[in-house]
Amino acid sequence: MDLAAILITSTPEGKEIAGRLAVKLESGLITDATDIAPDGTTTQSVFAGNWTVTAAVTRGVAVVTVKPNAVTPEAAPNEPVAEQATVTISDAAK
């Protein structure tokens, strides 16, 4: 499975991390995305929300910062499984 994008929160710290990661990976960077399509194309609101643009990274794995509250979280389907484990602690660790 190929990695389509690395998503990071669009905060000052997130943008700093995203920029450094994009340089390290030699990939493109898109900031402040409000939506991302399955093909990696992003939507951004620019000029104080007066314009909407689309963009895509053309080199490497896309590093994208996503604006807070841009998407509604969806519950992931999960099937919990109980797993038994036996742990032994040495006398020295006690």
Side-chain angles (χ1 to χ4, degrees):
M1 180 175 160
D2 291 330
L3 189 61
I6 298 170
L7 305 180
I8 301 174
T9 305
S10 194
T11 61
E13 294 84 10
K15 289 179 186 178
E16 176 76 20
I17 292 167
R20 291 174 183 260
L21 181 61
V23 169
K24 184 78 171 173
L25 296 176
E26 297 182 359
S27 296
L29 170 67
I30 295 175
T31 59
D32 296 331
T34 57
D35 191 23
I36 185 164
D39 67 353
T41 303
T42 63
T43 303
Q44 296 162 276
S45 181
V46 297
F47 297 120
N50 291 320
W51 292 89
T52 301
V53 298
T54 57
V57 169
T58 58
R59 180 176 177 178
V61 175
V63 179
V64 181
T65 65
V66 181
K67 282 188 163 186
N69 301 317
V71 295
T72 304
E74 295 179 11
N78 70 19
E79 296 292 326
V81 176
E83 192 172 307
Q84 298 293 327
T86 304
V87 178
T88 53
I89 300 172
S90 69
D91 288 334
K94 295 179 184 176

